[in-house]
Amino acid sequence: MPVFESESIQHVALHRVGNKATDEGFILSKHTLHLTDQLQDLLVRYFISPFKVEEYYHLIGDEGSIESNKVFDSCHSIFADSDCFLEESRRLASHLYDQSTHANIKGGDFFVVYFSRCVLDGEEMSAIGLFKSENKESFLKVLHGDEEWSRQEGENNAESDYHLEVHQGININKLDKGALIFNTEEENGYVVSVVDATNRTMDALYWKDSFLHIEQRQDDYYQTHQVMKVYKDFVTKRFPDEFDDVTKADQAELLNKSASFFKQNESFDMEDFTRDVLEQPAVIDSFQQFRNDYEKEHDVKIEDQFDINDSAVKKQARAYKSVIKLDKNFHIYVHGDSKMIEQGEDEKGKFYKVYYKEES
């Protein structure tokens, strides 16, 4: 995970970007912000805290030309000479406005930040942050008049008139949209980390696809995620179709075995994985064919060997549902040997028989 310190903030520009579809317009700042030490501390917390997943991207251009990416072009200029920061931040705000053409996109405050240094994977470098705040929250401000202090029997007593005012502001614990562009791997479109917490519908794609224009970096996180996803799809879709008498318990056991493999090993080897988890040659061949079909359909390359990324394992393991749902009455959680579960049917209906040694 990247490491930032508050004093690494060198420049901050703040612009207002509306919705172009409704002709809201945008307002560009004339100056960068002056920040106190307290403000810097709060801004680092607001900007950086949401970036918790080791999932990285690259900026890409049209038809393979990275120079056509406007975010790349502005970041490249700032990294080369930070004196152009304000001018390039205004260009970035204008570019964001041009992409805000969907009716559901909210206007908001757009921060552009230049970090003079940060640490990523043990390497020190500069970085640029792009952050958009779309949602305001209400908060109360307490006001009071002059206090008259009197001392009675050794105690302080105060009298004052108090008032409450309602204000709208940014919750520093809730970043709506953000991107960190790290000054490394320039030839590939830099290394980029992204947050989008506000919308998960198609209209939200403008932040990643239209504004940033990114694709996922094919690193260990990517490879770990891809293999676990392909394997889950195989177990839940292809496996029961190609082999007879496959039960939900069998599927759950295979998912559990694969999850254990990824948690117990530091590196991945496809041959070891298929031998230890799938075991049967016919099932291994079926999985390899499924993998080949997946690579062609999604235009991806799944490597045979790579280092296992723990963050990707934790994230993808949430989708490994080892649960048998029986109507709305019961759930059976399968954590081990599927041979301890038998399935049948009698005059009362379908049933599962579960064997165990101890009850807790």
Side-chain angles (χ1 to χ4, degrees):
M1 297 300 294
V3 178
F4 289 80
E5 297 179 355
S6 58
E7 59 266 25
S8 67
I9 296 181
Q10 185 169 329
H11 300 299
V12 178
L14 176 58
H15 311 287
R16 178 71 184 180
V17 178
N19 186 308
K20 188 173 184 178
T22 56
D23 200 27
E24 290 180 352
F26 56 92
I27 302 173
L28 301 179
S29 177
K30 297 180 180 179
H31 306 283
T32 57
L33 298 179
H34 172 72
L35 302 178
T36 64
D37 291 343
Q38 183 181 26
L39 269 176
Q40 286 185 325
D41 290 340
L42 289 174
L43 287 178
V44 167
R45 172 183 167 186
Y46 174 51
F47 293 145
I48 305 303
S49 296
F51 292 87
K52 299 177 181 179
V53 178
E54 298 175 30
E55 183 175 7
Y56 295 107
Y57 299 81
H58 288 306
L59 299 168
I60 58 174
D62 297 324
E63 298 180 355
S65 174
I66 185 61
E67 289 78 12
S68 65
N69 186 302
K70 293 185 178 181
V71 174
F72 174 89
D73 188 51
S74 289
C75 289
H76 183 267
S77 298
I78 295 171
F79 286 138
D81 182 4
S82 62
D83 289 342
C84 69
F85 171 79
L86 181 60
E87 177 187 350
E88 294 299 334
S89 76
R90 292 159 66 93
R91 288 182 59 198
L92 287 165
S94 177
H95 172 52
L96 178 61
Y97 180 70
D98 287 339
Q99 310 311 313
S100 304
T101 56
H102 193 284
N104 292 346
I105 294 174
K106 296 180 180 179
D109 298 315
F110 179 56
F111 295 85
V112 182
V113 184
Y114 177 65
F115 299 92
S116 59
R117 67 181 184 277
C118 68
V119 177
L120 178 68
D121 295 334
E123 180 183 355
E124 187 173 298
M125 65 193 71
S126 55
I128 294 169
L130 309 175
F131 312 100
K132 188 183 177 191
S133 171
E134 298 176 337
N135 296 290
K136 296 291 191 294
E137 295 189 6
S138 299
F139 65 91
L140 296 175
K141 184 175 182 179
V142 179
L143 304 174
H144 57 81
D146 294 335
E147 295 178 340
E148 297 180 0
W149 295 89
S150 62
R151 187 177 299 273
Q152 296 180 358
E153 299 180 357
E155 296 182 358
N156 287 329
N157 297 282
E159 293 183 357
S160 179
D161 292 326
Y162 284 87
H163 307 279
L164 288 178
E165 289 183 356
V166 179
H167 292 269
Q168 295 286 314
I170 298 172
N171 186 338
I172 64 170
N173 296 313
K174 295 181 181 180
L175 177 64
D176 293 326
K177 287 179 170 63
L180 291 171
I181 297 96
F182 299 94
N183 191 11
T184 183
E185 299 184 24
E186 174 188 330
E187 67 282 1
N188 296 325
Y190 298 119
V191 174
V192 183
S193 184
V194 181
V195 167
D196 189 349
T198 55
N199 298 305
R200 303 194 183 278
T201 56
M202 292 300 294
D203 61 273
L205 295 178
Y206 88 101
W207 180 253
K208 288 185 176 180
D209 292 353
S210 302
F211 172 58
L212 295 171
H213 200 27
I214 54 177
E215 66 178 5
Q216 192 166 353
R217 182 179 183 234
Q218 296 190 20
D219 51 16
D220 293 336
Y221 182 100
Y222 173 87
Q223 291 295 337
T224 304
H225 175 84
Q226 286 292 334
V227 168
M228 293 188 73
K229 183 181 185 305
V230 170
Y231 180 78
K232 174 181 174 292
D233 288 348
F234 168 75
V235 171
T236 58
K237 298 174 182 178
R238 178 73 64 86
F239 183 55
D241 288 341
E242 288 196 358
F243 298 91
D244 297 332
D245 301 325
V246 174
T247 66
K248 292 288 186 181
D250 295 328
Q251 293 174 281
E253 182 180 12
L254 282 178
L255 291 177
N256 284 329
K257 288 177 65 176
S258 67
S260 296
F261 181 93
F262 280 98
K263 292 176 182 178
Q264 294 171 4
N265 291 277
E266 295 182 355
S267 61
F268 177 88
D269 182 274
M270 184 65 73
E271 185 176 345
D272 292 342
F273 174 75
T274 54
R275 182 190 65 241
D276 296 345
V277 177
L278 294 175
E279 298 180 353
Q280 300 178 38
V283 180
I284 293 174
D285 291 342
S286 178
F287 172 69
Q288 294 291 13
Q289 184 59 53
F290 185 83
R291 166 198 171 184
N292 294 337
D293 294 341
Y294 183 93
E295 288 179 320
K296 293 178 182 178
E297 181 180 352
H298 295 85
D299 192 25
V300 298
K301 173 62 177 176
I302 298 174
E303 301 294 339
D304 288 328
Q305 296 177 328
F306 53 85
D307 291 333
I308 293 175
N309 184 283
D310 291 338
S311 295
V313 172
K314 292 178 182 178
K315 183 176 181 180
Q316 190 64 21
R318 300 188 192 114
Y320 275 41
K321 302 293 185 181
S322 302
V323 182
I324 303 174
K325 297 182 179 180
L326 308 177
D327 300 327
K328 295 182 180 180
N329 298 317
F330 305 101
H331 287 176
I332 299 177
Y333 292 82
V334 182
H335 300 291
D337 190 356
S338 63
K339 297 182 178 64
M340 302 294 287
I341 301 176
E342 292 183 3
Q343 187 177 11
E345 187 173 0
D346 58 20
E347 66 278 1
K348 293 183 179 181
K350 298 178 182 178
F351 65 84
Y352 276 94
K353 184 185 295 184
V354 181
Y355 293 92
Y356 66 94
K357 294 181 179 179
E358 297 180 359
E359 181 178 5
S360 60

